[in-house]
Each structure stands twice: as C-alpha cells, then as structure tokens.
Amino acid sequence: MTAPATLALTSVDVATSSSDLAWQAAADGAPAGTAFLVGEQTAGRGRRGSGWSAARGGMYLSVLLRPQAASSDIWGLSFVAALAIRDALAACVPDHDFRLKWPNDVLVAGGKICGLLLEARDGAVVIGTGVNIAPVQPVPGAQLPAVSLHDLGDHGTGPADLAASYGKCLLAGAAAWEQSGFSPVRLEWLRHCAHMGYRVRVRTGGAGAGSPVEGDFIDLGGDGALVLRDDHGAERRITTGDVELTGRL
C-alpha cells in the first residue's frame, strides 16, 4: 500500500454516509489515504447491516485503503483502526483511560465513545469511524451509554482536528501492519482491552442463533478471535458477535 503520511481529506456537509462517498471514490480509482468527513449522515451503516444515522456534532469519517495483503488477512485492519482512534482520543484527554471492546468499539468513563466499521471489496478497504464529540442523546436499548469528548471536558477538539490526528495514526499503523503482520497489533490491543479477565456474554445474532455464549475473556487469538473460558473450563473461540460486558468497566 502506497499512502501519504496524512489523509487527502474532503469535508462534506450532508451525505448518506461517509463510506458511500469513499466507495464511490474507490470505484473512480482514488488512491489510499483518500478520506471523507461528513457533518451529518442520513443513512449510515453499522455492524452486520444495521442502519445508523448520525446528527451533527460528531466525527463521521471514512478512509480508503488499498492494502497489499491477502483478503483473508484484511480483518486485522479493524484492530489497527481501533488502536489508532484510541491513541488519537487519548491525546485529546490524557487523564482518561480509553479501552477497546472486541471487536471494534472504544469505551471510556463507563460508556461508548466510538464505533468502527470495516468493509472490503475488490482489493479496497473502507474504514468508517464515528466518534461522539458533542453531547449525545441516550439511545434506547443501547448496552452502554453514549459518552462524548465534551462530557470528558474537551470543549476544543472539532471533527476536522480529530480526523487529522486519527488519520496520521491510522496510516502509520496500517503501514506497520503490512510490514510486520498482526502479532504486534494483537499485543498492543491486549494492553488496552476493556474486558481482560472479565465475564462477558457474546450474542452472535442471525437467524437460528442459539443462546448467548458466556465465559471469562482470556485472550485475543492470532486470527482476531475472542477467546473465552466457559464454566466447564473449556476454551471457546468467537469470531463474530456483539459483546456484553457483565463485569465492571
């Protein structure tokens, strides 16, 4: 992947989603590092096909990458992106402890401040990232309350500021991942894991899904899988699902 050290960033006031813009740019042959920052999304996408609209006041950013990696390894960029946005947020309010929730959320102060979505096709990857900057209204049914940078005492960082710092971290992290693989990323992710040693419940969802899987989080696999130890002492490997933390944050 040949990418600049900083994003080639285009700001758009309103769009269906920043990722829609990034995929159109990809189809037009745009290079790695092309990015779109949207002020308001009207039809954003969440994990596993869920819809997600985003009002003004947050950072809604999608970045196009063209990694030189096997398609079977692309999932590693999700962890790279999580670490990158965690570092950018920690630089904004260093007195707070930002933690990573498998597979791709950032938590702080008992709530969720950021979510990511990685999409890949035809050798291109788009990483969509949403961060709460201004205060956010409660979301009915959410597992965790929404937390914003404003809630943490940061009243100066704007979406463009955060996008620029995050972009530098993301591009550097992606280049390092291409060169060194997932192992260093895994170790760094575990340093900031929100649920190491805690009891968790994983809902895999989908038609015909069984009961949630429960156990103690003990590791992150070399393939990105969440590794649990159940009540019978057996290890369970989870490759997709929504994690509910049942221990303290």
Side-chain angles (χ1 to χ4, degrees), residues 18 20 42 57 63 68 90 100 107 118 120 129 171 176 192 195 209 232:
S18 56
D20 286 343
T42 60
V63 179
Q68 300 299 308
L100 302 176
L107 310 181
L118 182 146
T129 307
L171 293 174
H192 302 289
H195 36 57
H232 303 288

Side-chain angles (χ1 to χ4, degrees), residues 199-203 211-217 228-232 234 236 238 244 246:
R199 184 81 172 179
V200 301
R201 180 182 298 117
V202 184
R203 303 181 186 277
S211 301
V213 178
E214 294 191 41
D216 296 327
F217 176 85
L228 302 181
R229 179 176 289 118
D230 66 20
D231 291 338
H232 303 288
R236 303 286 298 273
I238 311 297
E244 177 183 344
T246 56

Side-chain angles (χ1 to χ4, degrees), residues 33-59:
T34 300
F36 293 89
L37 178 66
V38 173
E40 180 180 356
Q41 293 191 140
T42 60
R45 295 190 291 281
R47 290 186 60 240
R48 294 156 66 186
S50 62
W52 180 58
S53 293
R56 294 185 183 277
M59 186 200 78

Side-chain angles (χ1 to χ4, degrees), residues 54-137:
R56 294 185 183 277
M59 186 200 78
Y60 312 121
L61 177 75
S62 288
V63 179
L64 171 64
L65 299 177
R66 296 187 180 276
Q68 300 299 308
S71 59
S72 57
D73 294 332
I74 294 300
W75 52 267
L77 284 171
S78 179
F79 295 89
V80 170
L83 284 167
I85 190 59
R86 194 217 74 86
D87 288 351
L89 289 168
C92 294
V93 278
D95 55 334
H96 285 275
D97 187 20
F98 291 85
R99 290 282 161 176
L100 302 176
K101 174 176 169 286
W102 186 92
N104 51 12
D105 291 338
V106 182
L107 310 181
V108 66
K112 176 178 172 179
I113 193 170
C114 171
L116 299 108
L117 177 67
L118 182 146
E119 299 174 300
R121 64 180 84 135
D122 301 327
V125 172
V126 169
I127 299 176
T129 307
V131 176
N132 302 327
I133 294 180
V136 178
Q137 293 296 319

Side-chain angles (χ1 to χ4, degrees), residues 10-26:
T10 298
S11 295
V12 177
D13 186 42
V14 179
T16 54
S17 79
S18 56
S19 290
D20 286 343
L21 299 176
W23 278 119
Q24 182 58 58

Side-chain angles (χ1 to χ4, degrees), residues 114-198:
C114 171
L116 299 108
L117 177 67
L118 182 146
E119 299 174 300
R121 64 180 84 135
D122 301 327
V125 172
V126 169
I127 299 176
T129 307
V131 176
N132 302 327
I133 294 180
V136 178
Q137 293 296 319
V139 179
Q143 291 182 3
L144 292 167
V147 176
S148 70
L149 279 177
H150 189 278
D151 297 331
L152 302 178
D154 181 351
H155 301 167
T157 299
D161 304 318
L162 185 59
S165 59
Y166 166 48
K168 291 179 181 179
C169 294
L170 176 60
L171 293 174
W177 166 80
E178 273 195 346
Q179 182 175 10
S180 303
F182 182 63
S183 181
V185 176
R186 171 183 169 273
L187 293 176
E188 183 66 11
W189 190 93
L190 284 168
R191 287 187 59 237
H192 302 289
C193 175
H195 36 57
M196 176 60 74
Y198 291 172

